[in-house]
Amino acid sequence: MPKPLLIVWYNTRCPVCDAGVSRQKRRLIDAVKAGRVEFRDINFEPEALSAFGASLEDIRRRLHAIDAEGRLLVGADVAIAVWRLTPGEGWLARLFGNVIALPLTRFGYDRFADLLYAWNRHKGRW
């Protein structure tokens, strides 16, 4: 099996995160089956990214991924990387990941992630 192009860690205890990743998995079914993309639940591997300095709470707050070169991607950069690999969604990566839009994309993602994290904590999901 080839080395994955992207390994994405996400939090299944967040219903919004889980639904979003489930949708992407369905869109990327061939890539997932071929082992080119992996989606992993951080709740089963809480120390998975500790070598990068990422804690369980960091990953509960924002998506994290490792690309084929072994680089850590966080937040909006993960979404953009996933869109690049998803059939029919490359345009999203170009729109939100270009040099002009990327700072705004990151800002918007981070604010949404902060709100979602606070909502999940309030609901007692972790």
Side-chain angles (χ1 to χ4, degrees):
M1 188 171 283
K3 180 180 175 185
L5 300 174
L6 196 64
I7 302 171
V8 178
W9 278 270
Y10 70 106
N11 180 16
T12 57
R13 292 184 186 165
C14 167
V16 174
C17 306
D18 195 38
V21 168
S22 292
R23 178 191 174 278
Q24 287 305 127
K25 281 185 194 177
R26 288 190 301 276
R27 301 282 324 258
L28 285 163
I29 193 74
D30 291 335
V32 170
K33 285 181 180 177
R36 295 191 330 260
V37 179
E38 289 183 28
F39 293 93
R40 297 166 74 169
D41 181 357
I42 195 60
N43 296 297
F44 294 124
E45 304 176 73
E47 301 295 321
L49 298 177
S50 61
F52 290 94
S55 70
L56 174 61
E57 292 305 306
D58 293 334
I59 300 158
R60 285 178 171 168
R61 186 177 294 268
R62 289 171 179 73
L63 288 172
H64 283 62
I66 304 296
D67 69 10
E69 287 78 38
R71 294 177 297 213
L72 179 68
L73 305 176
V74 179
D77 296 325
V78 177
I80 291 164
V82 170
W83 288 332
R84 282 190 183 115
L85 297 173
T86 305
E89 293 186 359
W91 69 273
L92 288 167
R94 289 187 299 279
L95 177 66
F96 292 108
N98 70 65
V99 69
I100 295 167
L102 188 56
L104 293 172
T105 301
R106 287 175 175 156
F107 180 82
Y109 178 99
D110 287 346
R111 297 306 66 80
F112 179 75
D114 290 341
L115 290 171
L116 192 57
Y117 180 82
W119 174 71
N120 278 302
R121 291 209 33 122
H122 175 73
K123 291 290 188 177
R125 293 194 172 97
W126 58 80

